[in-house]
Amino acid sequence: MTSPVRRAGVFAALSTLVLAVPLAGIEVATAVAAVVLLGAFLVTDGPLFELVAYPGDYEDRRLYGLITFVLAAVALGLVAFNTSMSTAVLVGTVLLVGYGNLAERLVRSRSENDVLAVTAFCLVATVAAVLGQVVTLLALSGGPGTAAATATIESALPSVLFLAASGALLAALLRDVFLIYDDPVVMLSAGFLLWLLAELDPGLGTVDIVLALAITALLGYVSYALETASIAGMITGVLLGLLTIVLGGYAWFAVLIAFFGIGGLSTKFRYGRKEELGVAEDNNGARGSGNVLGNAAVAIAAVLGYAASLAGLLPVTADLFLFAFAGSVATAMSDTLSSEVGSVFETPRLITTLEPVEPGTDGGVTWQGEVAGLAGATIVGGLSYLLFPAVGGLGAAIIVAAGFVGMTVDSLLGATLEGSLLGNQGVNFLATLSGAVVCALLLVVFSGALLG
C-alpha cells in the first residue's frame, strides 16, 4: 500500500468520527475533535507523523493537512449548530470528502486512467454521503426500526441522494482543477453548496433523481469521449446539468444541453483551418471547467434563483429568472457560434473602429460570424418558445435580441478590456450576465404584452 493510500485511509477513518455528532451528542463530538487536534499538534516525528503527513508538512514538521482538515469539519459544525444547516448535511459532507479521497487514491495506485479515478471518487463519495445522512436522520428520529425513522428516511431519500451526488461532483471538480491536496477548502465549499440546495427543497422522487444522474453522467462522458470537454469540463457539465434538471426541469436542461452540444461541436468546425490561423481552441477544442463556468455560471445562478423563488425564499416572480436563464444561454450560444464560425475568415474588423485586424484578435468580428451568432440566439429563442409556455412569440423575440446584445457586449469587452483587465472567461461571464439582465429588463418592459 502506497503512502498516499495509507494517508487517505487514515483521513477516511478520522472523517467517520463526525458520526459522533448525531450518535453521541455535541459534547462528545467536541471532545473527540479536541483530542485529534491536540494529537496533530503534538506529533512532529515518528511513524505516526510519516503515516498522515502531506509532502508540505515536512518542512515545518507540523501536520498542517490534518489540522486544517479537522478545523474545516469543526467550522462546518459551528455553522450547523448556529444556522439552518442540518446535521445530516454536516455529516454527509465530511464523509464524502474523506471516503471519496480514499477511493480516488486506491484507483490511482493501480491505474493512470484519470476518468476512472474521478468516477471512483464520485461514486464512493456519493455512497458515503448518503450513508452518513441516513445514519444521522435515523439517530435524530429515534433510531432504526421506529415508525418515525422509517417515515423520515422515505421522505428524505430523494433529497439525500441529490445532495450527496451534488456534493461529490463539486468536490471532484475542485480537486481536479486546482485543489488536489486542499481537502479543507473542498469540504467547506461542498458543505455550503449542500446547505443551499437543502434550503431549495426540489421535491423530486428518488427515481427522478437517479434518472437525472444517469442522463447527465452519460452525456458528460459522451462530451469527454468526443473530445468536446476535458475531464474538469465533463464534471462541471454533469454538475450543472444535474442542478438544472432537479431545480428547473428537463425543458431547462434541453436548452442548456443544446448550447453545450452545438457549442462543443462548433469548435470542431474547420478545426484544421483554425490551427493554420492560430485561433484554434487548446486541447483539440476540448472545453475545460473555466470555459464551461464562464458561459454557464449565470444560467445556473438563474436556475437557483428560479428554485428559490418557487420555494418562497425570494420575492421575485419565477418567470424573471426563466428569461434571465434563456438570455444568458442565448448569449453563450450566439458568442460561441460567432467566434467559432467567424474565426475561419481572414477579414475580421475591430468592432470599436471597424479597422481590419488579424484573425483571432480580441474584439474582431466578421459578417459571417455575426450571422452565425444571430442564428445561435435564434436557436435558443426557438427552443424556449417550444419548451416554455410562458415565453410565447414575443418572449422568443426578446430572448433572441438579448442574445445578440450579449454577443455584442462580448466583442466590445474583447476589444477594450480583455487582456488588460479581464481574461477570456471573465469576458464570457460578463457577456452572459449582460444577456440575462437585458432579457429580464425587456420582460419587465413588455410584461403586459406577454401576459396579455
Side-chain angles (χ1 to χ4, degrees):
M1 187 181 294
T2 64
S3 177
V5 174
R6 289 195 298 270
R7 180 175 61 238
V10 173
F11 274 70
L14 290 174
S15 71
T16 308
L17 296 177
V18 75
L19 290 171
V21 177
L23 295 177
I26 185 61
E27 295 81 6
V28 174
T30 301
V32 170
V35 169
V36 175
L37 276 176
L38 180 62
F41 275 105
L42 294 178
V43 175
T44 59
D45 206 349
L48 187 56
F49 181 89
E50 298 292 331
L51 180 63
V52 296
Y54 283 101
D57 294 340
Y58 285 90
E59 182 176 353
D60 295 331
R61 309 303 298 182
R62 186 71 67 190
L63 295 174
Y64 291 121
L66 177 57
I67 292 170
T68 54
F69 185 89
V70 176
L71 287 177
V74 170
L76 278 183
L78 291 173
V79 172
F81 283 97
N82 290 281
T83 67
S84 61
M85 178 187 285
S86 70
T87 304
V89 165
L90 162 66
V91 174
T93 300
V94 176
L95 289 177
L96 80 84
V97 173
Y99 281 91
N101 180 32
L102 175 58
E104 181 182 7
R105 292 301 175 190
L106 281 170
V107 171
R108 290 194 184 280
S109 69
R110 293 169 169 78
S111 171
E112 296 182 357
N113 189 315
D114 290 334
V115 174
L116 188 61
V118 168
T119 301
F121 179 94
C122 291
L123 289 177
V124 174
T126 299
V127 171
V130 167
L131 292 177
Q133 291 178 84
V134 168
V135 170
T136 301
L137 293 173
L138 286 173
L140 297 179
S141 59
T146 65
T150 301
T152 298
I153 297 302
E154 288 180 353
S155 63
L157 187 57
S159 177
V160 164
L161 181 57
F162 173 53
L163 296 180
S166 299
L169 287 166
L170 177 64
L173 172 62
L174 294 177
R175 289 170 57 83
D176 184 81
V177 176
F178 38 59
L179 298 170
I180 297 176
Y181 295 109
D182 211 344
D183 285 335
V185 177
V186 173
M187 186 187 301
L188 291 171
S189 300
F192 282 110
L193 173 67
L194 299 197
W195 181 20
L196 170 62
L197 297 180
E199 294 290 325
L200 297 179
D201 189 22
L204 293 182
T206 303
V207 175
D208 298 316
I209 301 296
V210 172
L211 182 60
L213 271 170
I215 291 173
T216 53
L218 176 61
L219 292 177
Y221 181 75
V222 169
S223 70
Y224 174 78
L226 293 176
E227 297 184 340
T228 60
S230 65
I231 291 179
M234 173 184 69
I235 299 171
T236 305
V238 173
L239 174 59
L240 299 186
L242 176 64
L243 296 180
T244 302
I245 291 176
V246 175
L247 300 179
Y250 283 99
W252 295 62
F253 179 67
V255 174
L256 188 65
I257 204 64
F259 160 65
F260 283 136
I262 296 173
L265 291 176
S266 71
T267 63
K268 305 296 184 181
F269 174 71
R270 298 184 64 181
Y271 190 81
R273 178 58 176 162
K274 294 174 187 175
E275 287 184 314
E276 292 176 7
L277 296 173
V279 298
E281 291 279 349
D282 295 332
N283 302 318
N284 200 32
R287 296 181 178 271
S289 60
N291 187 283
V292 174
L293 288 174
N295 283 293
V298 174
I300 296 306
V303 173
L304 294 173
Y306 177 81
S309 177
L310 292 181
L313 301 177
L314 290 176
V316 180
T317 176
D319 282 347
L320 196 68
F321 292 106
L322 169 60
F323 274 78
F325 170 83
S328 69
V329 177
T331 297
M333 179 81 88
S334 182
D335 175 58
T336 298
L337 293 188
S338 174
S339 298
E340 296 298 338
V341 174
S343 63
V344 302
F345 296 95
E346 300 182 37
T347 57
R349 293 180 178 272
L350 196 65
I351 191 171
T352 52
T353 64
L354 298 182
E355 296 178 353
V357 292
E358 292 294 321
T361 301
D362 295 331
V365 298
T366 63
W367 71 264
Q368 297 94 336
E370 294 293 291
V371 171
L374 182 59
T378 302
I379 290 173
V380 176
L383 284 174
S384 300
Y385 173 79
L386 293 173
L387 297 172
F388 301 116
V391 170
L394 179 57
I398 287 175
I399 292 168
V400 174
F404 190 82
V405 170
M407 176 187 68
T408 304
V409 169
D410 186 281
S411 298
L412 290 171
L413 291 174
T416 56
L417 300 180
E418 188 169 357
S420 57
L421 295 178
L422 294 173
N424 179 254
Q425 311 313 329
V427 169
N428 288 341
F429 173 79
L430 291 177
T432 54
L433 179 61
S434 70
V437 170
V438 167
C439 203
L441 289 176
L442 290 176
L443 171 65
V444 173
V445 171
F446 292 102
S447 59
L450 287 170
L451 294 175

